[in-house]
Amino acid sequence: MVNSPLLDALAWVAIAGFFGAVVFQWRGGTDLARQLAAGSWLVFGLFWLTMVPYYYLDAQSPIQTVLALAALPLCVYTGYLLYSGRESLLLLSKAVAIMGLIYLPAETIPFVRQWLIETTAMQAHFVMDLLGHAPGLSEGANGYQSRFDFDPDETVTGRTTYIVLACTGLGSMAIFGGLIASVSAPLKRKLSAFALAIGVIWFLNLLRNVFIALASPYGWFQFDWLVSFMTTYMGAQPDRVSFLVAHNYVAQSLSVVALVGITFLVVRILPEVLAPLEEVLFVLSGTEYDLFEALGHEEARPDATGDREQ
């Protein structure tokens, strides 16, 4: 993730606005909460729009570029729905506020970011060591001990990788942390769902980092036809093809599948998270969905009487 004072400011303004909306709603000012949340969604959309050049030019990630481009109209539409009276979207706004509170300190506070990155790098290196690869760690371009120090003369591509904040899995953890914390449910089930989500994300992210760290230097995807295609049509450097395929296509595609699977597991423990997910589906499709009925969790609907252990 690119570090920029403008990006940090936009993110913090949006998250602060979402939290302000939560406070206004709690104090009974629902109309003011909707208006503040609506404006915050607009700022949030601008934040993602400013990320498009990074995803397209630097990261060369088609998936992230498309998602960042889609974020602005979706955020504007969400803000419009809120301003027009869709009060139920305040729950989704609350979830995003908590997601930001989990993620932004790591993005903007140097010592938190350093600890997360270096710890993630050490864990990935430990697994590679178990697999018979022990390149050592050195300073990456971010200034942290996060670079897997493969000898370029002993690898296929002569390249290596280093861990950045996006490699820590914190983004996915923040998504589930926000969803889980935003809903009303017994604390025991919320903690169980959170522990399950974080544990699975951590394990899969560790495997992901090891996969990319080995695929890049050892050229697991340096097929002639693929190198020709990527360099001709995608603007890739020839020796960077294995990294781009492993990171931007294989790992990111599997990450989407993993998020869906983790969501299914979380819903089994904490079906209350279906409420903000219904709002996401409405924004995406314009259609009302009753996920509680479809998945057989009608007892957990927000307007049900009381929260009880299932």
Side-chain angles (χ1 to χ4, degrees):
M1 183 76 72
V2 61
N3 292 316
S4 161
L6 173 60
L7 290 177
D8 291 346
L10 285 173
W12 278 115
V13 168
I15 298 306
F18 288 135
F19 269 111
V22 172
V23 173
F24 283 127
Q25 184 186 30
W26 176 65
R27 299 191 64 177
T30 302
D31 289 341
L32 192 55
R34 286 191 297 100
Q35 294 168 12
L36 180 56
S40 300
W41 277 104
L42 176 60
V43 176
F44 198 50
L46 291 174
F47 164 78
W48 287 111
L49 182 64
T50 59
M51 290 299 300
V52 171
Y54 168 75
Y55 288 139
Y56 181 73
L57 298 173
D58 297 331
Q60 294 184 302
S61 171
I63 294 176
Q64 290 176 306
T65 301
V66 170
L67 290 176
L69 280 170
L72 179 60
L74 288 174
C75 288
V76 170
Y77 181 52
T78 303
Y80 165 77
L81 291 172
L82 270 164
Y83 190 80
S84 300
R86 190 173 177 88
E87 182 182 338
S88 55
L89 277 168
L90 286 173
L91 179 61
L92 181 60
S93 302
K94 178 182 178 182
V96 174
I98 299 171
M99 293 175 198
L101 190 62
I102 295 172
Y103 188 85
L104 283 180
E107 173 67 26
T108 57
I109 301 176
F111 79 87
V112 177
R113 183 169 63 246
Q114 178 177 357
W115 180 82
L116 283 170
I117 289 173
E118 293 187 346
T119 299
T120 301
M122 286 188 291
Q123 291 173 348
H125 186 273
F126 175 76
V127 175
M128 285 192 288
D129 192 8
L130 294 178
L131 296 175
H133 304 279
L137 289 170
S138 61
E139 186 176 297
N142 51 17
Y144 306 138
Q145 292 296 308
S146 60
R147 179 181 180 272
F148 302 115
D149 202 13
F150 286 99
D151 186 341
D153 296 328
E154 297 179 0
T155 60
V156 174
T157 64
R159 298 186 67 95
T160 188
T161 58
Y162 64 96
I163 297 294
V164 297
L165 186 62
C167 303
T168 64
L170 183 64
S172 298
M173 294 177 186
I175 290 174
F176 284 98
L179 288 173
I180 291 167
S182 67
V183 300
S184 297
L187 180 60
K188 181 179 178 181
R189 285 198 288 114
K190 293 177 75 169
L191 291 176
S192 296
F194 182 75
L196 173 65
I198 298 306
V200 174
I201 291 170
W202 172 84
F203 177 72
L204 294 179
N205 187 67
L206 179 60
L207 297 181
R208 167 188 175 276
N209 287 332
V210 172
F211 166 68
I212 296 170
L214 294 177
S216 180
Y218 291 118
W220 288 358
F221 299 98
Q222 293 297 122
F223 307 115
D224 291 341
W225 65 269
L226 187 54
V227 172
S228 176
F229 176 82
M230 293 286 290
T231 55
T232 302
Y233 299 104
M234 307 299 291
Q237 300 175 32
D239 58 355
R240 199 166 181 248
V241 167
S242 281
F243 167 77
L244 291 175
V245 172
H247 184 277
N248 293 351
Y249 295 91
V250 177
Q252 287 185 0
S253 298
L254 290 177
S255 294
V256 174
V257 176
L259 287 175
V260 173
I262 296 168
T263 301
F264 176 77
L265 295 176
V266 168
V267 166
R268 290 175 64 90
I269 299 174
L270 192 71
E272 287 84 353
V273 299
L274 291 173
L277 294 179
E278 285 181 344
E279 295 304 310
V280 172
L281 289 176
F282 181 82
V283 171
L284 291 174
S285 67
T287 302
E288 297 281 3
Y289 290 92
D290 191 340
L291 296 180
F292 291 94
E293 181 179 0
L295 298 177
H297 292 297
E298 294 178 88
E299 76 286 346
R301 194 185 305 274
D303 59 354
T305 56
D307 290 312
R308 58 185 184 277
E309 295 289 349
Q310 307 299 331

